Amino acid sequence: MRIALVGWDLDEPLASALSNWGVEVFAFTRWYEGSAHRERRGGLVIVRSPHEIGGGLEREYESFRDSVLRADADLWLGGSGLDVAHAIDAGARAAVGGLVARYRHSVSVVSATQRDWNADADGTKPIDAIGRQNPRIDLWVVDDPFVAERVLEINGSIGARIACVPTPNSHQDQAHKMMSYTKPGAGPIATFTLFGECAIDTRGLARSLATAREWCEGLTACVLGRSSAARRLRVDLARQSLLTRSNSNGIEPTAEEGSARLAAAAIVGVGGSGAATDAVVWKSRLRGIPVVRIDEPRRDGDVLDTLLDAIAADGRGLRSVKAGKLLAQAAVDPAGRARSLISEYLNVISGGRTDGSQAIAPRPEPIERGGPFLYVGGTRLCVRVADSRRGTASWRVRGEDMRGALRRLGADAARARLALRLFDITDIDFDGTNAHSFFDIELEFDEREREIVWNAPGRSITACLGLRTPRTFHPLAFAGPTHFPREEPANHPPSFTIKVPPRRRGG
């Protein structure tokens, strides 16, 4: 897998961690005086591209895009198979847009943060503008639940997958945005997040919370989310006078205000599925806040016991909180973030599903040369003989077969390379396991043929095209036995003449 990681401000620890997974990472960023234009560190290549300064940020972003495309022309990533182009910040989106326009087979990835939530001067949301300005986005990467929810709202029109990948700033509290209910002496707050549709007994949850308030003086609740379940829960909690004052009007907070409400919670209940829910879990765990599921089928008493255990923070609850925080911190480290990104890249490449269980809109497979999945017929392999030692192998791989093979390889798919395995079966009855020897020829994903040179004349071979990893070889297509001619003429046995006497007349 080859990844173009583009950043106006490059996250070098993340780029290095990605390269440790056996993938090739080309990290494009701005050039500054005194730095090298190109630097290689194992599987990581850092390319610093100079751009014109002045004329406003948008003009600088466009100049950076042109510089990245020129650098890419020198490297010719697409000629070797560019699989992923990822814009990790706003300044890199124009450059990634240029890369995916050049290499249509690559996966387009855009990261979005809280900064993308703020309104523009014309009143539009930048997140909406990103979806309109980029012709194709295959994967959104977010670390904030409210940004994820906003992207989910426009996901129907952009047809992209949404993933939550925690970042080091995911746990930073928004202290300057704390609501009035955080004043000293206020009771504990149970914050419930219901992003997306989910099956939940809102009345039962309200009754459980009312009973819990008898044990926890001053307990109140806050509900975040635009789903119908969130609206029903607000109504049921309001009837019990359990909603916080700032939540009773039903107005959704901004991304920063929502993060502040999560930071002020004594317990967080999550419902629904998708990137927004995942982001809530990570942000809460990083802050050491107990997290419980509220959308699973339970009896009222089970919900009550879970809420009381989490709020009271008994020994078991404290151990769970500590384990959750350590797990979240490991995911925030560069190695954990790289693992999450590799997994999401592979999900999109292999045709995974969106967080809303909606299949990704299929892209038409290009017919021209340049993509790893460009053949719409059946997968096949053919070996042709040129002379006694040389031949040519040619192949075509159907996109569906390639994606299925990558899915079956699982985590090893990140290290998979296309390879041609040749077996020497001269003068034997080959049964698939008794070849004299075999060897592999590593191929590029955009190759369609390769010359074969054998070390001896007159051999009989068979070939297999597949994906090779450090641990396994996954076949895609086979070619039947191919016999190379000998260099010398075949020996002819001596001729014998048999004389037969003529038949006697009358005998």
Side-chain angles (χ1 to χ4, degrees):
M1 181 189 295
R2 287 180 172 86
I3 302 169
L5 195 69
V6 188
W8 184 255
D9 296 304
L10 182 64
D11 189 343
E12 292 194 22
L14 175 62
S16 180
L18 283 171
S19 66
N20 291 335
W21 279 84
V23 301
E24 294 181 76
V25 181
F26 297 86
F28 294 89
T29 187
R30 292 177 292 170
W31 176 84
Y32 53 89
E33 189 174 358
S35 63
H37 286 272
R38 191 177 301 174
E39 180 180 355
R40 178 178 288 276
R41 304 175 188 173
L44 170 63
V45 178
I46 299 178
V47 182
R48 298 184 177 91
S49 304
H51 69 283
E52 297 180 3
I53 299 176
L57 275 180
E58 292 300 325
R59 180 65 189 91
E60 291 190 20
Y61 292 165
E62 293 175 0
S63 176
F64 178 61
R65 174 199 60 196
D66 297 339
S67 181
V68 168
L69 292 178
R70 285 194 298 269
D72 165 69
D74 294 337
L75 293 171
W76 187 229
L77 301 183
S80 302
L82 179 62
D83 300 297
V84 178
H86 184 174
I88 63 176
D89 52 31
R93 289 169 191 156
V96 165
L99 287 174
V100 297
R102 176 177 290 178
Y103 307 123
R104 291 184 294 168
H105 62 275
S106 62
V107 170
S108 174
V109 185
V110 168
S111 290
T113 64
Q114 284 190 13
R115 294 182 179 179
D116 298 309
W117 179 270
N118 300 325
D120 285 338
D122 59 357
T124 61
K125 301 287 187 180
I127 293 178
D128 301 349
I130 295 170
R132 293 194 305 269
Q133 294 169 359
N134 289 264
R136 175 165 59 87
I137 299 178
D138 300 308
L139 173 66
W140 290 75
V141 176
V142 300
D143 69 338
D144 185 87
F146 304 96
V147 174
E149 188 186 29
R150 184 67 192 133
V151 175
L152 281 169
E153 291 180 357
I154 62 174
N155 190 33
S157 60
I158 62 176
R161 182 181 175 89
I162 306 169
C164 168
V165 178
T167 58
N169 63 355
S170 296
H171 65 287
Q172 294 178 0
D173 296 342
Q174 304 291 335
H176 61 287
K177 289 288 185 180
M178 289 296 181
M179 299 295 103
S180 59
Y181 54 74
T182 61
K183 60 181 181 295
I189 301 169
T191 299
F192 300 106
T193 61
L194 298 174
F195 297 119
E197 296 304 320
C198 59
I200 180 174
D201 181 8
T202 57
R203 293 184 179 180
L205 179 58
R207 288 194 301 267
S208 297
L209 200 64
T211 304
R213 186 169 55 180
E214 299 176 2
W215 298 81
C216 303
E217 183 179 357
L219 175 65
T220 55
C222 175
V223 182
L224 303 176
R226 292 185 173 91
S227 65
S228 59
R231 292 194 294 270
R232 292 196 309 269
L233 183 57
R234 287 192 191 98
V235 172
D236 292 333
L237 290 174
R239 289 172 180 170
Q240 302 279 355
S241 300
L242 286 168
L243 274 183
T244 58
R245 184 180 61 185
S246 59
N247 193 227
S248 59
N249 55 16
I251 299 176
E252 282 300 302
T254 65
E256 291 184 350
E257 291 170 347
S259 295
R261 295 187 182 191
L262 284 178
I267 179 175
V268 173
V270 295
S273 61
T277 300
D278 294 339
V280 169
V281 173
W282 287 116
K283 290 174 80 73
S284 302
R285 285 177 173 173
L286 283 167
R287 295 181 176 119
I289 302 173
V291 180
V292 297
R293 297 291 305 193
I294 59 174
D295 58 348
E296 299 175 356
R298 297 172 182 247
R299 299 188 305 271
D300 287 357
D302 293 338
V303 175
L304 175 61
D305 291 340
T306 300
L307 293 174
L308 289 176
D309 287 346
I311 294 174
D314 59 0
R316 184 184 65 177
L318 289 174
R319 289 192 296 270
S320 299
V321 170
K322 181 178 180 181
K325 188 171 184 177
L326 291 174
L327 179 65
Q329 287 174 342
V332 167
D333 292 338
R337 295 164 59 204
R339 179 176 181 177
S340 298
L341 285 175
I342 289 290
S343 176
E344 295 297 339
Y345 295 159
L346 290 174
N347 285 338
V348 179
I349 290 174
S350 61
R353 303 186 71 82
T354 66
D355 294 296
S357 297
Q358 177 184 359
I360 294 177
R363 300 196 305 269
E365 300 188 36
I367 302 302
E368 71 275 6
R369 184 181 178 89
F373 316 137
L374 66 117
Y375 186 62
V376 295
T379 299
R380 64 181 180 86
L381 171 65
C382 178
V383 177
R384 299 185 299 273
V385 174
D387 56 30
S388 61
R389 295 173 183 259
R390 294 185 304 109
T392 302
S394 60
W395 56 90
R396 293 292 185 272
V397 180
R398 189 174 61 163
E400 182 180 349
D401 295 339
M402 178 66 77
R403 289 187 287 270
L406 290 172
R407 282 195 297 269
R408 286 187 287 271
L409 287 175
D412 283 344
R415 297 178 172 88
R417 298 300 299 270
L418 193 65
L420 185 66
R421 179 163 289 187
L422 302 176
F423 299 84
D424 184 358
I425 59 171
T426 305
D427 299 329
I428 63 173
D429 185 12
F430 182 58
D431 62 2
T433 62
N434 58 343
H436 296 302
S437 62
F438 72 89
F439 65 92
D440 294 340
I441 301 175
E442 192 167 286
L443 308 169
E444 300 294 345
F445 277 100
D446 63 333
E447 282 189 84
R448 294 295 172 262
E449 63 181 26
R450 176 67 72 91
E451 184 181 25
I452 300 172
V453 179
W454 213 258
N455 57 1
R459 311 304 292 178
S460 296
I461 71 168
T462 188
C464 175
L465 179 72
L467 294 176
R468 189 181 71 172
T469 72
R471 297 191 299 179
T472 187
F473 184 92
H474 185 88
L476 292 170
F478 293 88
T482 302
H483 305 284
F484 288 77
R486 299 180 182 274
E487 290 182 338
E488 65 279 1
N491 295 324
H492 296 284
S495 300
F496 294 93
T497 303
I498 300 177
K499 294 183 179 181
V500 179
R503 185 177 180 180
R504 294 181 180 181
R505 182 176 300 177

